[in-house]
Coordinates of all heavy atoms in Angstrom, one line a residue:
D1745 N -20.6 58.6 -63.6 CA -20.6 60.0 -64.2 C -20.3 60.0 -65.7 O -20.2 61.0 -66.4 CB -19.5 60.8 -63.5 CG -18.1 60.2 -63.6 OD1 -18.0 59.0 -64.0 OD2 -17.1 60.9 -63.3
W1746 N -20.2 58.8 -66.3 CA -20.0 58.7 -67.8 C -21.3 58.9 -68.5 O -22.3 58.2 -68.3 CB -19.4 57.3 -68.1 CG -18.9 57.2 -69.5 CD1 -17.9 57.9 -70.1 CD2 -19.4 56.4 -70.6 NE1 -17.7 57.6 -71.4 CE2 -18.6 56.6 -71.7 CE3 -20.4 55.4 -70.6 CZ2 -18.8 55.9 -72.9 CZ3 -20.7 54.8 -71.8 CH2 -19.9 55.0 -73.0
P1747 N -21.3 59.9 -69.4 CA -22.6 60.3 -70.1 C -23.0 59.4 -71.2 O -24.1 59.5 -71.8 CB -22.3 61.7 -70.6 CG -20.8 61.8 -70.8 CD -20.2 60.9 -69.7
G1748 N -22.1 58.4 -71.6 CA -22.4 57.6 -72.7 C -23.7 56.7 -72.5 O -24.2 56.2 -73.5
V1749 N -24.1 56.5 -71.3 CA -25.3 55.7 -71.1 C -26.5 56.4 -71.6 O -27.6 55.7 -71.8 CB -25.4 55.4 -69.5 CG1 -25.9 56.7 -68.8 CG2 -26.4 54.3 -69.3
N1750 N -26.4 57.7 -71.9 CA -27.6 58.4 -72.5 C -27.5 58.6 -74.0 O -28.3 59.3 -74.5 CB -27.6 59.8 -71.8 CG -27.8 59.7 -70.3 OD1 -28.6 58.9 -69.8 ND2 -27.0 60.5 -69.5
L1751 N -26.6 57.9 -74.7 CA -26.5 58.0 -76.1 C -27.8 57.5 -76.7 O -28.4 56.5 -76.3 CB -25.3 57.3 -76.6 CG -23.9 57.9 -76.4 CD1 -22.8 56.9 -76.7 CD2 -23.8 59.1 -77.2
K1752 N -28.3 58.1 -77.8 CA -29.4 57.6 -78.5 C -29.0 56.6 -79.5 O -28.4 56.9 -80.6 CB -30.2 58.7 -79.2 CG -30.6 59.8 -78.3 CD -31.6 59.3 -77.2 CE -32.1 60.4 -76.3 NZ -32.9 59.9 -75.2
L1753 N -29.3 55.3 -79.2 CA -28.8 54.2 -80.1 C -29.9 53.3 -80.4 O -31.0 53.2 -79.8 CB -27.7 53.4 -79.3 CG -26.5 54.2 -78.8 CD1 -25.7 53.3 -77.9 CD2 -25.6 54.6 -80.0
G1754 N -29.7 52.5 -81.4 CA -30.6 51.3 -81.7 C -30.1 50.1 -80.9 O -29.4 50.3 -79.9
Q1755 N -30.6 48.9 -81.3 CA -30.1 47.7 -80.6 C -28.6 47.6 -80.7 O -28.0 47.6 -81.8 CB -30.8 46.5 -81.2 CG -32.3 46.4 -80.9 CD -32.8 45.1 -81.5 OE1 -32.3 44.5 -82.4 NE2 -33.9 44.6 -80.9
V1756 N -27.9 47.7 -79.6 CA -26.4 47.6 -79.6 C -26.0 46.1 -79.8 O -26.3 45.3 -79.0 CB -25.8 48.2 -78.3 CG1 -24.3 48.1 -78.3 CG2 -26.3 49.6 -78.1
S1757 N -25.3 45.9 -80.9 CA -24.9 44.5 -81.2 C -23.4 44.2 -81.0 O -23.0 43.1 -80.7 CB -25.4 44.1 -82.6 OG -24.7 44.9 -83.6
G1758 N -22.6 45.2 -81.2 CA -21.1 45.0 -81.2 C -20.4 46.2 -80.6 O -20.8 47.3 -80.8
L1759 N -19.3 45.9 -79.9 CA -18.4 46.9 -79.4 C -16.9 46.5 -79.7 O -16.6 45.3 -79.8 CB -18.5 47.0 -77.9 CG -19.9 47.4 -77.3 CD1 -19.8 47.3 -75.8 CD2 -20.3 48.8 -77.7
A1760 N -16.1 47.5 -79.8 CA -14.7 47.3 -80.0 C -13.9 48.5 -79.7 O -14.5 49.6 -79.5 CB -14.4 46.8 -81.5
L1761 N -12.6 48.4 -79.5 CA -11.7 49.5 -79.2 C -10.8 49.7 -80.4 O -10.2 48.7 -80.9 CB -10.9 49.3 -77.9 CG -11.7 49.3 -76.6 CD1 -10.8 48.9 -75.5 CD2 -12.5 50.6 -76.4
D1762 N -10.6 50.9 -80.9 CA -9.7 51.1 -82.0 C -8.3 51.3 -81.5 O -8.0 51.3 -80.3 CB -10.2 52.3 -82.9 CG -10.1 53.6 -82.2 OD1 -9.4 53.7 -81.2 OD2 -10.7 54.6 -82.7

Side-chain angles (χ1 to χ4, degrees):
D1745 57 346
W1746 190 64
V1749 73
N1750 299 315
L1751 288 170
K1752 301 301 181 183
L1753 303 168
Q1755 291 183 333
V1756 179
S1757 62
L1759 300 176
L1761 297 173
D1762 67 14

